[in-house]
Amino acid sequence: MNLDTVVDQAYLGKNFRELAAAPVSALRGVSAADAKALAKAFNVTTVRELAELDYVKWARAITTLAECERPGSGELARETLLDEAVEMTFPASDPLSVDAGITRIEVAPDMVDAQGDHQNAGKVEQCTAAGVKDAAGRDGR
């Protein structure tokens, strides 16, 4: 840990014993007014007294234990139900089933892309009619 980032300039180079005995305002970001408010509210005047303050210890213990806590069964159930509900709102995101026999999705043959192919629509109809006659001829119809 780089102490230059946590103590004021006046306390750089001090050893840990000196820093622990220093006023709370030695901590970077704690002004003289903040130190006065801590002294008034909690009777804290030094860095050591702040570190040993019961409220600080309790807050530290709670946050440390919160990081290790496992969710309860009720919380897990709510989370599972929420996940399933969200999944059900997006059925299109599910992959197609292989058992359904769908191998690919195509535009229906009677649908013409009017925006991009309107100029060739007549040729498409002619080729389709010719293809139908040709297929009928090969099948013997």
Side-chain angles (χ1 to χ4, degrees), residues 29-129:
V30 179
S31 67
D34 295 334
K36 193 179 274 189
L38 283 168
K40 182 178 179 184
F42 300 109
N43 196 27
V44 169
T45 57
T46 67
V47 173
R48 173 176 276 118
E49 289 172 350
L50 178 63
E52 293 174 352
L53 187 64
D54 284 342
Y55 299 108
V56 172
K57 289 179 181 179
W58 297 338
R60 189 73 195 140
I62 288 169
T63 55
T64 299
L65 292 172
E67 293 170 4
C68 300
E69 187 175 34
R70 292 190 177 130
S73 60
E75 189 177 350
L76 283 174
R78 279 192 301 279
E79 188 68 27
T80 302
L81 289 173
L82 180 62
D83 287 347
E84 289 175 1
V86 169
E87 183 65 31
M88 291 305 292
T89 61
F90 297 102
S93 65
D94 294 340
L96 293 174
S97 173
V98 176
D99 296 335
I102 299 174
T103 56
R104 64 180 175 195
I105 299 172
E106 295 181 358
V107 176
D110 59 336
M111 302 284 285
V112 176
D113 181 15
Q115 182 176 354
D117 199 20
H118 66 282
Q119 294 174 350
N120 297 320
K123 289 182 182 179
V124 170
E125 289 176 16
Q126 289 173 356
C127 291
T128 303

